[in-house]
Amino acid sequence: MESPGEPAHPFHGVRALDLFAGPGGLDVAAHFLGLRSLGIEWDRNACETRYAAGLPTIHADVSVMRESRFDEIPTSVDVLMGGPPCQSFSIAGSGAGRRTLNKVREFMHRLVKGDDEAEIDRDLRSFDEDPRTALVLEPLRWLLKAIETRGRDPYKVIVLEQVPSVLPLWQAYAELLRSGEGRLQGVKYEAECWMLKTEQFGVPQTRRRAVLVARRVGLGAVSPPEPTHLPFALHGRRNDAARIGVAADEPTDEPTAESTDEPPTPGTKPSWVSMADALEAASAPEDSPVDGSRFRTGDRMRFFVVSNYGSGGDPKNRGRRLSSEPAFTVTGKISRNKVYRDDAEYRRGASDRFTIPEAGVLQTFPYNFPWSGKDQAQQVGNAVPPRLGMHVLGTALRGTPPTEEELAAATTWPTVSPATVEELRALGCGDGSQCPPPSHKVVRPPRSTAP
């Protein structure tokens, strides 16, 4: 497989555009499916990781790119993907959250209807001072821009993902994309959205994502990706703990029983991928920065992780995950998770921490992915798990899941030369004059006081 930056020009052959690209979760997935992508990312630290990984990137604000630099996007792009920031919708269960969702739906319909965009922007700012709220409209605006720009074709495939609370907006997106009304100019899509559990796709953590997939009418119906693993549930832990003679909240490497409303037929799917399995595999290559030996007792990896967050309304009630289970959702605070090999360490307070490469592995990034820049834990936590991305993109683009060979290849990232990194940085940032301020501060020499 060629390195991401090897072609004569890094933007050559790009088919997918990743809005809000972050360090590259969807781009990594696209790479292992043989699809070249271009990411737009405003955070300079995430851009540094992308450059080091050889991922074509433009360091910019997605709105600025759409409004004034749209012609820089290759005309070969026919796949639009991304996950807009979600903070504005994290309270979707409350009245305020529902009001936000309902209002954003209204703005979406106004955009498609053809209302004045400057007026829509003013109304958005008066409704919600958080600029991130408006960003959920950007994929729709990028589609409308492509439809209305001479020399461009509408995107063939659209893939969007975010936290579960955004699912109602993806449903509104799907309804609009099916309609072909107003500024869509008759362009219609087969569009569906689902809630997916990452551990059901071989990701060694529990994380739920709301996913939208849309394909131009004529390219085939849209179906959800087929889970490869069983869902994880804690219901069986107490029974298993009692069976082996320990308290239910004590660490054990014994797998917990699966418990769902509809128990699966035994043997139909494997159980989840555990933290121990993922870190053990990532420790095997000689050049791996992942060293699982510190978690090993004898010939087995054995530890438990204490959550950063309380549960049941009690901030002091911190849950545990065993090494034989998937990790908690990997967030930007992953480096704060306390890891203990046994209860004796727990009582002494002698905790360990996951390293950045280890946290990346729990997100299913390759063990040797070149995390760079600052705030690396935040980069890891913000990313889409590439393995989930491979299942979603594979289903969206070709109607089939990734092959075993593709999934096996996705554990190792290809080497990128320093020359390619510098070329990508020059293309993505240039002199910094078009990057989001104040990403590249101009340092002027002090004025001379010499006579």
Side-chain angles (χ1 to χ4, degrees):
M1 181 178 294
E2 67 177 12
S3 294
E6 280 186 359
H9 189 285
F11 295 178
H12 173 73
V14 163
R15 281 193 56 207
L17 177 64
D18 188 2
L19 307 179
F20 318 101
L26 285 174
D27 302 78
V28 169
H31 168 75
F32 287 113
L33 294 176
L35 180 73
R36 285 190 61 76
S37 61
L38 168 65
I40 301 175
E41 174 54 42
W42 72 271
D43 179 66
R44 186 180 184 183
N45 293 308
C47 287
E48 286 301 318
T49 292
R50 295 178 61 86
Y51 299 148
L55 295 171
T57 305
I58 299 176
H59 182 201
D61 181 283
V62 294
S63 302
V64 173
M65 286 297 303
R66 172 180 52 80
E67 293 167 356
S68 60
R69 301 174 61 187
F70 192 74
D71 60 344
E72 296 180 34
I73 305 300
T75 56
S76 57
V77 167
D78 60 4
V79 177
L80 183 69
M81 59 190 190
C86 62
Q87 289 86 345
S88 300
F89 308 101
S90 61
I91 55 170
S94 70
R98 286 192 295 273
R99 285 193 297 274
T100 300
L101 291 168
N102 290 334
K103 196 67 177 179
V104 172
R105 283 195 201 96
E106 178 186 320
F107 289 126
M108 290 168 61
H109 283 275
R110 288 177 61 185
L111 276 172
V112 171
K113 181 182 176 182
D115 286 6
D116 181 73
E117 290 206 36
E119 182 179 338
I120 291 175
D121 288 337
R122 285 194 299 271
D123 291 347
L124 265 168
R125 286 192 294 270
S126 64
F127 165 70
D128 192 336
E129 295 180 356
D130 188 339
R132 294 171 297 190
T133 300
L135 293 177
V136 77
L137 299 175
E138 280 299 323
L140 178 59
R141 285 176 142 161
W142 276 78
L143 171 60
L144 296 175
K145 184 84 170 186
I147 291 173
E148 295 170 347
T149 300
R150 180 174 295 181
R152 299 273 177 170
D153 292 323
Y155 305 112
K156 293 180 179 178
V157 176
I158 300 172
V159 174
L160 304 177
E161 67 80 38
Q162 248 313 330
V163 295
S165 58
V166 178
L167 185 62
L169 289 183
W170 289 169
Q171 292 168 339
Y173 257 87
E175 292 171 4
L176 285 171
L177 293 175
R178 295 186 198 112
S179 74
E181 297 174 353
R183 292 173 62 191
L184 292 168
Q185 299 180 19
V187 176
K188 294 184 179 182
Y189 289 81
E190 303 280 359
E192 301 292 343
C193 43
W194 319 280
M195 193 76 68
L196 303 179
K197 295 181 177 181
T198 58
E199 79 274 14
Q200 289 193 268
F201 297 91
V203 178
Q205 68 168 297
T206 52
R207 187 187 195 108
R208 294 190 305 153
R209 306 304 287 177
V211 172
L212 164 77
V213 171
R215 275 203 297 242
R216 288 286 305 276
V217 168
L219 296 179
V222 173
S223 300
E226 177 64 29
T228 57
H229 293 69
L230 297 175
F232 174 75
L234 293 173
H235 301 83
R237 173 182 285 184
R238 184 167 297 278
N239 291 335
D240 278 352
R243 179 170 55 80
I244 61 176
V246 299
D249 61 348
E250 286 185 355
T252 171
D253 214 25
E254 191 77 8
T256 61
E258 177 57 31
S259 178
T260 60
D261 293 335
E262 295 291 335
T265 303
T268 55
K269 288 185 176 72
S271 61
W272 56 85
V273 175
S274 71
M275 291 183 280
D277 289 340
L279 296 175
E280 195 76 69
S283 299
E286 291 185 1
D287 64 338
S288 178
V290 177
D291 179 13
S293 63
R294 71 188 191 284
F295 297 135
R296 195 172 288 119
T297 301
D299 61 348
R300 302 179 69 189
M301 208 176 272
R302 188 181 178 95
F303 61 85
F304 65 96
V305 182
V306 177
S307 173
N308 292 320
Y309 304 98
S311 61
D314 182 359
K316 295 182 180 180
N317 183 22
R318 304 296 176 92
R320 294 184 182 188
R321 284 287 173 89
L322 313 179
S323 53
S324 58
E325 299 172 332
F328 294 107
T329 298
V330 174
T331 71
K333 295 179 174 59
I334 179 66
S335 58
R336 299 184 189 178
N337 279 133
K338 294 182 178 181
V339 185
Y340 303 91
R341 283 177 293 185
D342 52 42
D343 264 9
E345 285 190 350
Y346 180 73
R347 286 189 290 269
R348 294 198 310 269
S351 63
D352 206 331
R353 296 286 196 278
F354 288 127
T355 65
I356 294 300
E358 289 165 351
V361 166
L362 296 179
Q363 279 275 58
T364 63
F365 278 86
Y367 71 87
N368 60 339
F369 196 70
W371 299 101
S372 303
K374 300 178 181 179
D375 298 328
Q376 292 181 16
Q378 193 67 49
Q379 292 183 49
V380 175
N382 286 347
V384 181
R387 187 172 177 118
L388 176 67
M390 291 178 71
H391 281 275
V392 173
L393 287 177
T395 301
L397 296 171
R398 63 194 189 194
T400 59
T403 65
E404 290 301 321
E405 292 76 16
E406 289 169 334
L407 291 172
T411 60
T412 306
W413 192 247
T415 300
V416 178
S417 71
T420 294
V421 174
E422 288 306 314
E423 182 182 9
L424 288 171
R425 185 179 289 114
L427 285 167
C429 289
D431 62 2
S433 62
Q434 290 187 295
C435 296
S439 297
H440 300 274
K441 295 180 180 178
V442 177
V443 179
R444 301 186 184 280
R447 180 176 298 177
S448 174
T449 57

